[in-house]
């Protein structure tokens, strides 16, 4: 395969991610069973059509894209923060965070898909965004060092955690003391939610909230955004060690 600008960007961003997470290990019990086997297979496929997903993710008819400015405000992003966008996908929130934290802040785009990271790396370079590191996450860990970020953002991705207990343990470790975890996911209400949501999302808000709280987080806020109808936003804070 010929060496292209994009392939060089991918190599550089993956390498940066490996350097950034040196020493980071998968957290959580190795015996944890998958809660939804195969849910991420399509994103790990080497033939993944990224352009197709960009068109699906970055369109005003998608609620979390249309509401992105409201979400940014609700998340409480400030200049100088270090943020991890977990399940970054096409990277549109990564780019928003990059501009919001400014030159003194940093953003980690974490995803299990090398193809998405290649796209993000290329887009960042073209847009002149230089405060972003792409990190290849694992199925049980976000692969960030302990106490490395102020805020972790998970948008429509928590239900893709195949090993939530282990992944949450790595999230808890990566957050600094009193760090913030923002989770956006789909309202899953039998008889109300779309069939796609009922079939695709394994559980509702109450179950996900309980899982997160059991992992060492306390619910800090559940702001109601008028721009979110099918999704909810929850803000948690990392509990201080007792």
């Amino acid at each position: 395969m010929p060496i292209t600008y994009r392939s060089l960007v991918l190599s550089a961003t993956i390498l940066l991610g490996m350097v950034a997470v040196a020493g980071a290990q998968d957290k959580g019990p190795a015996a944890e069973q998958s809660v939804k086997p195969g849910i991420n297979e399509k994103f790990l496929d080497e033939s993944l059509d990224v352009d197709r997903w960009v068109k699906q993710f970055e369109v005003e008819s998608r609620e979390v894209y249309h509401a992105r400015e409201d979400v940014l405000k609700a998340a409480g992003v400030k200049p100088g923060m270090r943020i991890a966008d977990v399940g970054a996908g096409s990277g549109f929130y990564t780019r928003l965070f990059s501009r919001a934290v400014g030159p003194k802040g940093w953003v980690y785009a974490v995803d299990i898909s090398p193809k998405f990271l290649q796209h993000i790396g290329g887009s960042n370079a073209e847009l002149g965004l230089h405060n972003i590191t792409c990190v290849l996450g694992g199925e049980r860990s976000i692969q960030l060092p302990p106490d490395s970020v102020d805020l972790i953002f998970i948008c429509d991705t928590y239900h893709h955690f195949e090993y939530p207990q282990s992944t949450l343990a790595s999230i808890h470790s990566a957050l600094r003391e009193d760090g913030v975890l923002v989770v956006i996911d789909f309202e899953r209400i039998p008889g109300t939610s779309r069939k796609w949501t009922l079939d695709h999302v394994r559980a509702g808000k109450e179950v996900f909230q309980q899982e997160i709280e059991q992992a060492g987080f306390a619910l800090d806020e559940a702001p109601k955004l008028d721009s979110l109808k099918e999704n909810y936003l929850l803000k948690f804070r990392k509990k201080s060690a007792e």
Side-chain angles (χ1 to χ4, degrees):
M1 183 179 68
I3 297 176
T4 65
Y5 173 74
R6 277 187 169 270
S7 65
L8 286 172
V9 168
L10 174 61
S11 299
T13 53
I14 295 295
L15 178 59
L16 284 170
M18 292 171 64
V19 171
V21 303
Q25 302 293 327
D26 282 354
K27 305 292 183 179
E32 183 185 3
Q33 300 298 307
S34 168
V35 294
K36 196 158 186 180
I39 190 170
N40 295 313
E41 283 182 358
K42 59 179 174 289
F43 298 119
L44 298 172
D45 192 331
E46 292 182 358
S47 63
L48 181 74
D49 184 351
V50 175
D51 289 339
R52 172 205 161 196
W53 287 101
V54 170
K55 292 175 182 177
Q56 184 169 325
F57 287 160
E58 299 183 25
V59 60
E60 292 294 336
S61 59
R62 186 188 181 202
E63 188 170 87
V64 292
Y65 184 77
H66 176 74
R68 57 195 181 278
E69 295 296 340
D70 291 340
V71 168
L72 191 69
K73 293 177 183 176
V77 177
K78 299 176 182 176
M81 272 187 163
R82 300 180 74 85
I83 298 176
D85 182 9
V86 174
S90 65
F92 68 89
Y93 271 112
T94 297
R95 296 189 291 274
L96 283 174
F97 294 146
S98 170
R99 296 184 178 101
V101 301
K104 293 185 179 181
W106 204 267
V107 182
Y108 297 94
V110 181
D111 208 281
I112 63 171
S113 168
K115 296 282 282 187
F116 277 146
L117 294 181
Q118 179 181 4
H119 168 76
I120 292 171
S123 300
N124 296 341
E126 292 167 5
L127 294 171
L129 302 176
H130 303 300
N131 60 345
I132 298 170
T133 296
C134 291
V135 178
L136 186 61
E139 61 181 9
R140 296 175 183 267
S141 172
I142 64 170
Q143 300 291 9
L144 288 177
D147 305 316
S148 56
V149 291
D150 305 297
L151 186 151
I152 291 178
F153 180 80
I154 304 169
C155 181
D156 284 355
T157 305
Y158 185 85
H159 66 270
H160 275 273
F161 288 179
E162 195 172 342
Y163 301 90
Q165 188 178 357
S166 303
T167 304
L168 282 167
S170 77
I171 287 170
H172 190 274
S173 174
L175 274 172
R176 293 173 175 169
E177 185 177 353
D178 208 35
V180 174
L181 170 62
V182 175
V183 176
I184 298 174
D185 218 300
F186 292 96
E187 292 278 11
R188 188 187 188 281
I189 305 172
T192 300
S193 300
R194 290 183 294 149
K195 183 178 184 301
W196 177 89
T197 303
L198 297 175
D199 292 342
H200 180 69
V201 179
R202 66 178 174 85
K205 175 170 59 179
E206 292 76 15
V207 172
F208 288 173
Q209 179 179 333
Q210 183 180 45
E211 291 175 354
I212 295 167
E213 290 176 337
Q214 289 175 345
F217 296 90
L219 183 65
D220 191 46
E221 189 180 358
K224 300 294 184 182
L225 304 184
D226 291 339
S227 50
L228 292 182
K229 306 297 183 185
E230 290 189 313
N231 288 261
Y232 57 84
L233 187 153
L234 301 176
K235 289 180 71 173
F236 298 87
R237 197 165 295 275
K238 177 179 177 177
K239 289 182 180 178
S240 300
E242 297 181 358

